[in-house]
């Protein structure tokens, strides 16, 4: 059973583009589930896309990247004083740096209520420790 967020809970949701909505690929990420330092970066395959979702709880910055075509290791590199550092094969980039060698992926910041209204057949990432069992599930029980 997943612990359900209140409707006003802030989410960052990937695959918000019309193409992905039509194909049924959508996932909401509970920002509270990405607060812990070991949860600031989530690697997720969504349909045919290999995504990396990043969140800095200090700056409130979120970025979603398409990892297609790369085998680079992407991980948390600490806090720059302004935002999250990403390590891309050992090289540091601020999370919102324009020169990160990854393609930005369309996403929106919204609330759970708004997201669920638009995409009722969505996946939800709630983070580790907030659920029992898998942390990425199809969500069909929240209205």
């Amino acid at each position: 059973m997943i612990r359900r967020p209140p409707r006003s809970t802030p989410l960052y949701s990937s695959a918000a583009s019309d193409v992905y909505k039509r194909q049924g690929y959508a996932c909401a990420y509970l920002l509270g589930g990405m607060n812990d330092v070991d949860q600031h970066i989530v690697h997720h395959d969504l349909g045919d896309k290999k995504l990396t979702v990043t969140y800095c709880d200090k700056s409130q910055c979120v970025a979603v990247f398409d990892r297609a075509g790369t085998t680079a290791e992407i991980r948390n590199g600490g806090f720059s004083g302004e935002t999250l550092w990403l390590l891309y094969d050992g090289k540091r980039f601020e999370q919102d740096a324009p020169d990160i060698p990854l393609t930005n992926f369309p996403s929106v910041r919204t609330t759970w209520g708004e997201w669920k209204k638009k995409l009722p057949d969505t996946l939800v990432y709630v983070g580790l420790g907030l659920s029992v069992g898998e942390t990425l599930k199809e969500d069909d029980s929240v209205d």
Side-chain angles (χ1 to χ4, degrees):
M1 173 171 294
I2 287 184
R3 195 162 151 199
R4 305 293 179 208
R7 288 185 165 277
S8 60
T9 301
L11 297 171
Y12 205 74
S13 304
S14 285
S17 71
D18 290 337
V19 171
Y20 278 84
K21 285 180 192 176
R22 283 195 304 271
Q23 293 177 354
Y25 302 124
C27 188
Y29 296 82
L30 178 66
L31 294 182
M34 295 180 74
N35 272 341
D36 291 339
V37 74
D38 64 340
Q39 292 297 301
H40 288 337
I41 298 175
V42 176
H43 300 292
H44 177 198
D45 292 352
L46 187 61
D48 62 347
K49 295 293 181 186
K50 294 185 176 301
L51 302 179
T52 294
V53 181
T54 67
Y55 173 60
C56 179
D57 60 323
K58 296 185 186 311
S59 67
Q60 300 298 306
C61 183
V62 181
V64 181
F65 302 102
D66 185 343
R67 297 187 325 270
T70 186
T71 58
E73 180 182 41
I74 303 163
R75 58 190 184 94
N76 189 331
F79 184 65
S80 74
E82 294 182 24
T83 193
L84 179 71
W85 281 111
L86 298 181
L87 289 178
Y88 180 93
D89 265 354
K91 185 173 178 189
R92 272 195 180 168
F93 295 90
E94 284 192 337
Q95 170 185 22
D96 54 356
D99 59 338
I100 294 176
L102 293 166
T103 303
N104 284 317
F105 190 78
S107 55
V108 296
R109 192 167 187 156
T110 187
T111 64
W112 172 242
E114 288 300 313
W115 183 255
K116 185 67 175 169
K117 224 184 288 181
K118 291 178 184 171
L119 294 156
D121 299 321
T122 191
L123 295 173
V124 181
Y125 178 84
V126 296
L128 299 177
L130 294 179
S131 66
V132 176
E134 295 177 339
T135 57
L136 189 64
K137 290 188 171 266
E138 287 189 35
D139 181 24
D140 58 3
S141 63
V142 178
D143 35 4

